[in-house]
Amino acid sequence: MKDYVRRWWQRWWNGEYVPPKNVPGIPVIFIQGRSERHWTSKLLHTVVEFYLEHWQWCFTTAFTVTGLVIAAWKLP
C-alpha cells in the first residue's frame, strides 16, 4: 500500500508522459515526448516555487497580519 501511494504521488507530481505525435508520410521523426501535469499539480508547483523564492517576506507578512488581528480582537 505504501509503495502504491508513493508511485501515485510521483505520477501526479511529475505528470503523465505524453508521447510525440509523428505524422505518417513526412521524413521528420520526433523522439522525445513531454510530461503533462494535472491542473492541481501545476497549482501546487506554482505555490511551492513562489514560497521558495519569497519565503522571507511570507513569514514576516504572516506574523504581522497575525499580530494585527490579535491586536484588533483585544480592542474594546
Side-chain angles (χ1 to χ4, degrees):
M1 182 69 175
K2 186 176 175 182
D3 188 49
Y4 171 76
V5 173
R6 185 180 59 81
R7 282 187 283 129
W8 176 84
W9 177 263
Q10 285 177 345
R11 191 172 58 245
W12 175 81
W13 181 258
N14 296 326
E16 294 287 331
Y17 175 75
V18 178
K21 294 182 181 179
N22 293 320
V23 179
I26 64 170
V28 178
I29 297 175
F30 297 103
I31 298 173
Q32 292 180 334
R34 59 186 166 85
S35 290
E36 192 170 291
R37 294 181 183 146
H38 191 264
W39 70 269
T40 54
S41 177
K42 288 179 188 177
L43 179 68
L44 189 59
H45 272 273
T46 303
V47 169
V48 168
E49 289 170 5
F50 179 82
Y51 171 75
L52 290 175
E53 288 182 19
H54 305 290
W55 64 270
Q56 296 95 345
W57 69 265
C58 288
F59 277 120
T60 305
T61 303
F63 290 144
T64 303
V65 169
T66 303
L68 289 173
V69 168
I70 291 172
W73 282 342
K74 297 290 180 175
L75 288 176

